Amino acid sequence: MITIIDAQQRYYVNHGWSQVYCLFPANSTHDLARTSQDLSNYFGNILLINDYTIAPNCGYDMHPHQNLEQIFIVIKGELTHKDSLNNHLVLTDNSVQRITAGSGYARSNHNYTDTPARYLGIWFMPKKQNAEPQHEVRNYPPKLWSETFYPVASDTPKNQSMEDFPTIIFNAGASVYRVKVKEKALNFTIEAHQKALLYVTDGSITCQGQSMPMGSHARILGKEKIQLQSTDYGECVFIVISEER
């Protein structure tokens, strides 16, 4: 079963300096698709998906997390990251950051540039609780996911033979792909024991012939073969979940 959810059904939070579109807010019940589509507040082991835009010279001060597996994908701009493990670095376009909050982790991120920064935050329920906190960042060139599904993070090794751009291994039962869709039809099979979520981060695509503009997403349950196309250009984050919450 494929359920396509319009961009307007995301929950929107405006802090002034931070604009956030939420698909699965972990600290509230504002999943607007839930009541109309009879979907659970979470989806598989995904706890949260937030699409953030941070204004220039603003950001989130140091704050703690525990027992979360977090993936952050920078869509556009720069973010300065600091944490309780003494990491201090700058994330740029297409950086992928993995954080195992585990037994306790604190982080901050700020946009110290003159232009807005946009990034996607995805929180998963970890396989192992109270793990040792860890942090990892890799930068991937966009050509890797042009007209293909490229795994940037997974609980199982993928593309490890590509020494410069291997998949980040993380502590959650899922795989996170990036994909740039053009006219060429792209196909992916979701198995019966899996769930999948497709989020359009830029442009527009069609999924099974149904239009999906930026900000819309599809939730896929059970065995399905999806086909993606675009008359112009569309960029997506695609998550395949192999472990239930």
Side-chain angles (χ1 to χ4, degrees):
M1 180 179 74
I2 302 176
T3 303
I4 294 177
I5 298 163
D6 190 81
Q8 279 67 41
Q9 289 188 277
R10 296 173 298 174
Y11 183 67
Y12 176 60
V13 181
N14 184 352
H15 296 297
W17 58 272
S18 172
Q19 316 287 316
V20 190
Y21 287 97
C22 311
L23 277 66
F24 304 106
N27 59 352
S28 78
T29 58
H30 293 296
D31 180 356
L32 301 188
R34 180 171 61 94
T35 55
S36 60
Q37 303 291 341
D38 193 28
L39 297 168
S40 62
N41 194 41
Y42 305 124
F43 190 74
N45 62 352
I46 302 176
L47 301 178
L48 172 150
I49 300 178
N50 282 355
D51 191 336
Y52 299 87
T53 299
I54 307 297
N57 298 303
C58 295
Y60 290 95
D61 294 331
M62 194 70 70
H63 58 282
H65 292 291
Q66 188 172 6
N67 284 325
L68 291 173
E69 197 71 9
Q70 299 173 300
I71 297 292
F72 297 98
I73 299 173
V74 180
I75 305 298
K76 188 174 183 180
E78 291 186 3
L79 291 167
T80 297
H81 166 93
K82 295 181 181 180
D83 63 30
S84 54
L85 301 180
N86 296 318
N87 293 301
H88 183 184
L89 65 154
V90 176
L91 310 176
T92 58
D93 290 7
N94 302 309
S95 292
V96 178
Q97 180 183 46
R98 164 244 179 162
I99 294 173
T100 296
S103 58
Y105 181 94
R107 62 185 290 268
S108 69
N109 61 313
H110 290 83
N111 174 14
Y112 291 125
T113 74
D114 295 328
T115 58
R118 182 180 171 214
Y119 68 99
L120 198 67
I122 310 169
W123 296 8
F124 294 90
M125 181 70 72
K127 284 183 174 181
K128 180 183 178 182
Q129 296 284 302
N130 298 313
E132 180 181 353
Q134 294 182 10
H135 170 273
E136 182 177 6
V137 173
R138 291 186 186 165
N139 296 317
Y140 295 92
K143 65 181 181 180
L144 293 175
W145 53 84
S146 180
E147 298 187 282
T148 190
F149 294 85
Y150 193 88
V152 294
S154 180
D155 64 331
T156 55
K158 300 176 187 290
N159 291 339
Q160 301 312 101
S161 61
M162 299 184 66
E163 183 176 344
D164 292 334
F165 309 109
T167 302
I168 292 173
I169 306 301
F170 75 134
N171 177 34
S175 294
V176 181
Y177 299 82
R178 296 199 70 181
V179 53
K180 184 183 293 184
V181 186
K182 298 182 181 179
E183 291 185 8
K184 175 186 172 182
L186 303 180
N187 297 296
F188 196 103
T189 299
I190 295 96
E191 300 300 335
H193 66 282
Q194 296 175 326
K195 296 180 180 180
L197 186 142
L198 177 74
Y199 182 57
V200 183
T201 58
D202 198 10
S204 63
I205 67 166
T206 61
C207 177
Q208 310 302 81
Q210 297 186 65
S211 177
M212 293 184 63
M214 185 178 78
S216 59
H217 74 279
R219 303 183 192 184
I220 304 157
L221 303 174
K223 188 172 179 64
E224 291 280 356
K225 183 176 180 180
I226 62 168
Q227 184 174 91
L228 310 181
Q229 281 185 285
S230 178
T231 55
D232 182 21
Y233 156 85
E235 194 142 354
C236 309
V237 170
F238 181 59
I239 306 167
V240 178
I241 305 158
S242 57
E243 181 178 274
E244 290 296 321
R245 178 172 175 265

